[in-house]
Amino acid sequence: MIDIRLITRTHYQISEPAYLTLLIRKCTSPTSSNYRETVAQRFSKLSGGTNIAASGYAVDLARSLNLLNSNLVWTELGHLLNIAASNNVLQNINELSTAEKILFFRLFLEFDGAAFIFLAQKLETQAQLPLLCESWTDIAQQLFLETYEWYLELVTDPLLRTRIRQLQEKRRLVPFKGNSGRHQSLIHINTMFRLGLIDSFKSKKSRLYKPKYLEGKELSPTSNLLSAVPNIKTLEEVVESQSLYNVVGQTLGIECNAGSINDMEFMNRVKYVYSQVSGTGVNLCSLRTLSEALQIQSLIEKTVPESHTTILSRLRTLQNKTPSQIRFHVDRYGNPAYIKIEL
């Protein structure tokens, strides 16, 4: 079933994607469950005094991006963030490493892609957000109503259509007001800014956002994004085909060279990722975590990311050569899902 790719549990004080790195690496565990209130209290102390209510929304954001499961334990993507942020000192919450930018872009594209498409379209049309005649409340209201309309044009499942219509009608009858517009807008637009997709500047009353034009590039990143993912239908196809990193590279203007690394270098990278995961205390390394970590590294080095299927095929070939060192574990459907390596 299609998910509505729009994050709704948001708070204007939790508008920095780097907060997620802090939450995962310092406030939660890869092996032990916890209560939302306990994690929020830890985050409040470590984030410089963010109030408890707002800190709870940081937990909700991590869950919305599938970084934490229902027990607030790291998911496969939570482990991936831990790896991507392994060299980040966490001294400046406004700065992201290259690996974090790539990963956060991938995460928000999958789970918040409707907001990215909507905001990119508005910026390409009107060149500034918000305009003098509009507020963040106006933008949030339009974002939700248009997103629901997009999905009604796409989905055919009767139950899902009924649910979307109910959400749409509720939003019409009870529109955003007061600070609710800021609550619902800033995480989306500010994340786009931190990823390098748009520019930000201060006016007398508030912070404004505008398209970004990179030196030597004809098109803005938001234009590149809309070229790669012009609508919700295409976004669903991208997620289904597991080609999110291709969109990330195209949008950020990363000119990737063809070709692949040799088996020795490939195995060295595999072992590094595996050691990062196993070092957290888990028994098995998710193949999803492994393959996506390799794809992120490829983009950093400006080479075309190998698909999950290609990476799995290379691992199988290496297993045939050294069967005692590499073992696969399957999920409940019998598909390879985890790997164990003798380092």
Side-chain angles (χ1 to χ4, degrees), residues 92-117:
N92 190 341
I93 205 67
N94 297 330
E95 295 182 1
L96 300 175
S97 67
T98 302
E100 284 176 300
K101 286 182 179 179
I102 292 171
L103 175 56
F104 283 135
F105 193 174
R106 170 256 184 272
L107 290 171
F108 277 85
L109 193 59
E110 177 174 358
F111 299 105
D112 198 41
F116 273 37
I117 293 172

Side-chain angles (χ1 to χ4, degrees), residues 8-22:
T8 59
R9 293 283 299 168
T10 58
H11 192 284
Y12 75 92
Q13 291 185 33
I14 308 299
S15 62
E16 294 293 345
Y19 278 142
L20 292 163
T21 300
L22 176 65

Side-chain angles (χ1 to χ4, degrees), residues 259-289:
S260 60
I261 57 177
N262 59 45
D263 285 347
M264 180 177 293
E265 179 60 24
F266 175 80
M267 196 59 196
N268 286 337
R269 293 186 183 184
V270 168
K271 287 181 177 180
Y272 171 76
V273 175
Y274 182 84
S275 67
Q276 292 289 99
V277 174
S278 61
T280 65
V282 299
N283 294 323
L284 300 172
C285 175
S286 162
L287 285 172
R288 182 182 185 183
T289 302

Side-chain angles (χ1 to χ4, degrees), residues 146-175:
E146 287 202 14
T147 296
Y148 294 145
E149 194 61 38
W150 288 343
Y151 276 97
L152 285 174
E153 295 174 359
L154 177 64
V155 302
T156 57
D157 180 81
L159 291 177
L160 182 54
R161 287 182 62 82
T162 299
R163 174 175 165 245
I164 295 172
R165 286 194 184 281
Q166 290 172 343
L167 292 170
Q168 187 182 53
E169 188 61 22
K170 179 181 179 182
R171 184 51 55 213
R172 282 201 183 99
L173 293 174
V174 187

